[in-house]
């Protein structure tokens, strides 16, 4: 019979052999986390944004642009038609672009694309919509034939201009705050890195 020391030595060799074979096996379980798919699952509406000033303005813009577009589409005859076509293009474009931004902001989808400056994007959209809605409404008011649909389109066009102008003012303030916060964070990061370099003289010797 084998003694206890021989059995212990045999078991130790067997365990070490199994560990080596397990380490070299291509079927050993991995510990790397599996990346979760970030699709459209888990989308949630942000009620705070919709109840806020920017959210309410976005909803009003979409509604006014849609009503103005519907009013201009009910006109069957026009002469000249350039002003009507321009108003139609402006109201439709504003409705589509603002509607897309409203969906992105209300569902927080813009947070998944941090590469885009969304504050600046909203500012550009509201600024251009204010300018073009004002021009289109003014031209339509000067060239209309005093029909009910044209008068309604002009009224809703100027209302949309006013709402977009207010949103532009708020977007400018929000963009300035974001730029100030970004510059402040960059300054703090630069100061922190300079302190780390000052506290490590070996880095200074390498630089010199």
């Amino acid at each position: 019979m084998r003694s206890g020391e021989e059995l212990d030595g045999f078991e130790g060799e067997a365990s070490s052999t199994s560990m080596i074979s397990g380490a070299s096996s291509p079927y050993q379980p991995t510990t790397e986390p599996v990346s979760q798919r970030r699709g459209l699952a888990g989308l949630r509406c942000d009620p705070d944004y919709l109840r806020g000033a920017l959210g309410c303005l976005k909803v009003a813009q979409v509604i006014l642009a849609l009503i103005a577009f519907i009013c201009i589409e009910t006109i069957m005859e026009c002469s000249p038609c350039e002003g009507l076509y321009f108003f139609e293009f402006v109201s439709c474009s504003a409705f589509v672009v603002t509607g897309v931004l409203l969906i992105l902001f209300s569902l927080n989808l813009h947070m998944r694309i941090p590469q885009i400056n969304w504050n600046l994007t909203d500012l550009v959209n509201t600024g251009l919509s204010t300018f073009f809605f004002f021009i289109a409404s003014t031209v339509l008011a000067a060239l209309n034939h005093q029909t009910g649909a044209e008068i309604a389109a002009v009224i809703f066009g100027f209302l949309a201009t006013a709402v977009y102008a207010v949103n532009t003012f708020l977007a400018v303030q929000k963009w300035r705050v974001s730029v100030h916060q970004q510059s402040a964070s960059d300054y703090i990061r630069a100061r922190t890195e300079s302190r780390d370099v000052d506290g490590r003289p070996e880095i200074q010797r390498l630089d010199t």
Side-chain angles (χ1 to χ4, degrees):
M1 295 180 62
R2 296 182 178 178
S3 62
E5 294 179 355
E6 293 179 351
L7 291 176
D8 293 340
F10 178 75
E11 291 177 357
E13 293 177 357
S15 60
S16 61
T17 304
S18 62
M19 291 176 62
I20 295 174
S21 61
S24 60
S25 175
Y27 302 103
Q28 57 181 339
T30 179
T31 58
E32 297 180 357
V34 179
S35 58
Q36 298 178 354
R37 295 180 179 178
R38 300 184 61 183
L40 297 179
L43 291 181
R44 296 177 59 185
C45 182
D46 188 2
D48 295 333
Y49 174 78
L50 295 176
R51 286 194 295 263
L54 293 177
C56 293
L57 288 173
K58 278 286 181 293
V59 174
Q61 291 163 11
V62 172
I63 294 174
L64 291 174
L66 178 60
I67 295 176
F69 178 74
I70 292 174
C71 291
I72 208 68
E73 285 295 309
T74 58
I75 300 175
M76 298 290 101
E77 297 179 359
C78 61
S79 178
C81 298
E82 289 78 9
L84 187 146
Y85 293 154
F86 181 61
F87 188 92
E88 179 183 11
F89 171 76
V90 171
S91 58
C92 180
S93 301
F95 169 73
V96 172
V97 176
T98 307
V100 171
L101 290 178
L102 176 61
I103 294 174
L104 291 174
F105 293 153
S106 60
L107 296 179
N108 287 327
L109 291 174
H110 65 290
M111 302 296 292
R112 302 188 180 186
I113 314 176
Q115 296 83 3
I116 299 178
N117 189 337
W118 291 104
N119 292 328
L120 183 59
T121 302
D122 186 35
L123 174 60
V124 171
N125 172 64
T126 53
L128 292 178
S129 299
T130 303
F131 175 76
F132 285 112
F133 247 125
F134 178 76
I135 298 298
S137 301
T138 303
V139 172
L140 187 63
L143 300 178
N144 73 82
H145 299 83
Q146 303 298 325
T147 62
E150 288 177 326
I151 295 175
V154 170
I155 292 175
F156 283 106
F158 280 116
L159 288 176
T161 302
V163 175
Y164 273 108
V166 175
N167 195 353
T168 301
F169 174 75
L170 296 179
V172 168
Q173 290 184 332
K174 186 176 181 181
W175 177 69
R176 287 180 177 177
V177 171
S178 64
V179 170
H180 178 72
Q181 291 177 348
Q182 181 65 30
S183 61
S185 62
D186 293 341
Y187 174 75
I188 294 174
R189 188 183 303 109
R191 288 291 302 274
T192 303
E193 292 177 355
S194 64
R195 290 177 181 176
D196 293 340
V197 171
D198 294 340
R200 299 175 64 183
E202 66 274 8
I203 298 179
Q204 296 179 358
R205 289 195 298 269
L206 290 175
D207 293 337
T208 56

